[in-house]
Amino acid sequence: MANELMNRFDLDPFFDRMAHRFFSPSDFDKDYENFGDLKTDINENDKDYSLKIDVPGVDKNNIHLNYQDGILSVNINQEHSNEQKDENGKVIASERSHGVMSRSYQLPGVDRENISAHIDNGVLNVTLPKLTESEDTTGNIDID
């Protein structure tokens, strides 16, 4: 019956998460229930693109950024393990999970050599400076 209930709401993320937490609650699930969302804010001005991507609990060594052909790709490969022991030190439960996320953003005209990124309080901040164009694009040369 539990499987039927969970399958009934397979396409609805609200009910899927609710059913998952109800039928298999654990602290591990609470930590990773939103893993895979990669919620992103993108701001653009004359000088650059600025991205803020939520990556709570993800180690920076598990995040891989790539910019090629006008597309920024973010790939995250996160593993987690949790071991519970009794008072004698015997393992009574051991859980492992592996999550992979990726997302691409089309951001043309970026100065690839000057892209910068850092993580601050679970938020990945990426700045992509735009390429500067010369003011005179006609190719004409002024004679003094």
Side-chain angles (χ1 to χ4, degrees):
M1 181 167 175
N3 285 338
E4 291 176 13
L5 178 62
M6 290 177 73
N7 288 337
R8 183 180 304 156
F9 300 114
D10 189 41
L11 299 176
D12 189 329
F14 173 77
F15 287 107
D16 185 46
R17 286 185 184 136
M18 182 179 70
H20 181 70
R21 287 190 308 265
F22 180 76
F23 291 111
S24 62
S26 73
D27 290 336
F28 180 74
D29 291 334
K30 292 174 190 169
D31 291 340
Y32 286 90
E33 67 187 17
N34 289 323
F35 191 73
D37 288 348
L38 285 181
K39 299 205 183 312
T40 306
D41 295 327
I42 302 175
N43 292 311
E44 178 183 9
N45 60 39
D46 293 339
K47 296 180 183 179
D48 58 30
Y49 298 101
S50 175
L51 283 79
K52 292 183 181 221
I53 306 168
D54 292 347
V55 291
V58 177
D59 185 272
K60 73 177 186 177
N61 296 322
N62 295 330
I63 301 172
H64 306 284
L65 299 174
N66 183 36
Y67 184 80
Q68 188 172 0
D69 298 327
I71 298 174
L72 175 70
S73 299
V74 179
N75 297 300
I76 299 175
N77 190 348
Q78 180 84 353
E79 293 184 23
H80 179 76
S81 62
N82 184 17
E83 217 174 59
Q84 296 176 1
K85 298 180 180 184
D86 65 8
E87 62 274 354
N88 297 327
K90 291 183 180 180
V91 176
I92 57 173
S94 179
E95 295 181 355
R96 291 166 302 286
S97 76
H98 181 228
V100 177
M101 295 182 283
S102 64
R103 188 157 179 198
S104 297
Y105 308 88
Q106 187 169 0
L107 303 166
V110 169
D111 181 2
R112 182 179 183 176
E113 301 301 318
N114 292 308
I115 296 173
S116 63
H118 70 277
I119 295 180
D120 186 31
N121 292 325
V123 177
L124 174 63
N125 297 284
V126 183
T127 302
L128 299 100
K130 292 181 179 179
L131 289 170
T132 57
E133 297 181 27
S134 65
E135 292 180 17
D136 184 9
T137 58
T138 63
N140 294 330
I141 300 172
D142 293 332
I143 300 174
D144 294 313

